[in-house]
Amino acid sequence: MRDLKDIVVYYRVSTKRQGESGLGLEAQRTYVKHFYSQEPIKEFVETVSGKEITNRPMLLEAIKLCKQRNATLVVAKVDRLSRTTEQALQIYAELEERLESCDMPNLDKFSLTLFMAIADRERQLISLRTKAALDEKRKIHGEWRKPSEAFRSGKASPAGIVAIKGKAKSNLNNRKAQALVKSLRDFQNLTWREIADELNKGAFKTSKGGTFQATQAMRLYKSAQ
């Protein structure tokens, strides 16, 4: 646990779907509760992209409250605060260094600058790699993301559409289960049997529609790595 102090907690999820499902948000709450035993003065939750500070009213309110109460702003991961080095340092300075992140012990200006600069660079490289891969695929296949004639004409099999939707729903549930398993194992150190029980209590089902056993919980955890 980190030292007791007045804290304000800021959570951010990038998409409306994440905000509604709790996927991402609950993981952030788990991180914060693991490192901080005290109740925060207030929690702020925002569902928006992290690109600009100006379009995040909850973050601005959190910063304002920290100034008023001389409190420390806490985030689960520093990328929930900002996606750019300049913005992160701006917030750090505005809060007079009263900023902490669960993924960065002993956060200071140097470590924040270094971490954000590396993250910035990695995002640029990912963008370049993705664009290069898409350009290469277009050269070979043309506009490969065009819908099939069956979908354009409305003649696609209704059963096929139902199956696709069912698979998408199953994948979403699987991701939720993986996030829960990872949280219970990494931060609460539950046994595989205990984790399986928690999955069953949460009405999660295996791919075959059955209840979870310890071995299946372990496999789900490994697949999330």
Side-chain angles (χ1 to χ4, degrees):
M1 290 290 180
R2 299 186 179 177
D3 295 337
L4 293 176
K5 66 195 77 177
D6 288 334
I7 63 172
V8 172
V9 182
Y10 175 72
Y11 300 112
R12 180 178 66 81
V13 288
S14 301
T15 65
K16 186 173 185 292
R17 185 175 65 182
Q18 281 185 339
E20 290 173 346
S21 69
L23 188 63
L25 180 58
E26 288 309 314
Q28 291 177 57
R29 282 201 170 103
T30 298
Y31 295 153
V32 172
K33 289 180 180 179
H34 176 76
F35 286 102
Y36 296 88
S37 60
Q38 74 271 41
E39 287 295 317
I41 297 173
K42 190 171 182 179
E43 292 184 348
F44 292 87
V45 180
E46 199 143 52
T47 305
V48 68
S49 167
K51 190 174 182 181
E52 298 293 339
I53 296 177
T54 53
N55 72 342
R56 290 191 277 162
M58 292 296 99
L59 175 58
L60 297 178
E61 286 294 320
I63 293 172
K64 180 180 178 181
L65 182 57
C66 284
K67 290 180 178 179
Q68 292 172 344
R69 300 288 295 271
N70 198 37
T72 297
L73 182 64
V74 171
V75 292
K77 297 180 66 180
V78 76
D79 64 0
R80 300 298 85 193
L81 180 70
S82 175
R83 288 169 54 188
T84 68
T85 306
E86 294 78 10
Q87 288 180 356
L89 290 174
Q90 176 188 331
I91 295 169
Y92 183 72
E94 195 170 347
L95 290 171
E96 298 179 337
E97 303 184 2
R98 297 191 309 277
L99 172 66
E100 295 185 3
S101 180
C102 296
D103 64 340
M104 292 183 65
N106 305 315
L107 184 152
D108 58 15
K109 185 176 181 180
F110 174 77
S111 61
L112 180 62
T113 303
L114 184 62
F115 183 95
M116 294 303 300
I118 293 172
D120 273 350
R121 181 61 173 168
E122 182 59 25
R123 275 192 293 271
Q124 291 173 5
L125 293 175
I126 290 172
S127 178
L128 289 172
R129 288 196 298 266
T130 302
K131 184 178 183 302
L134 292 176
D135 287 344
E136 189 62 29
K137 196 153 190 174
R138 287 191 187 98
K139 289 178 184 178
I140 299 172
H141 301 288
E143 289 298 328
W144 53 277
R145 285 190 173 181
K146 290 179 180 179
S148 67
E149 177 58 33
F151 275 92
R152 287 199 300 270
S153 65
K155 295 179 180 178
S157 165
I161 295 174
V162 170
I164 291 170
K165 289 183 177 179
K167 185 175 181 180
K169 183 178 180 181
S170 175
N171 287 341
L172 177 59
N173 288 336
N174 191 49
R175 290 197 300 273
K176 290 181 183 178
Q178 286 177 329
L180 177 59
V181 169
K182 187 168 177 58
S183 172
L184 294 174
R185 184 67 175 182
D186 291 349
F187 298 104
Q188 298 186 36
N189 199 31
L190 298 189
T191 66
W192 299 122
R193 177 66 269 169
E194 290 170 333
I195 292 173
D197 289 341
E198 290 298 321
L199 288 169
N200 294 330
K201 287 177 185 177
F204 287 100
K205 298 294 183 182
T206 66
S207 58
K208 295 183 178 180
T211 57
F212 277 91
Q213 303 298 323
T215 302
Q216 292 164 312
M218 180 177 65
R219 289 173 181 165
L220 196 59
Y221 175 84
K222 290 181 177 179
S223 69
Q225 301 304 303

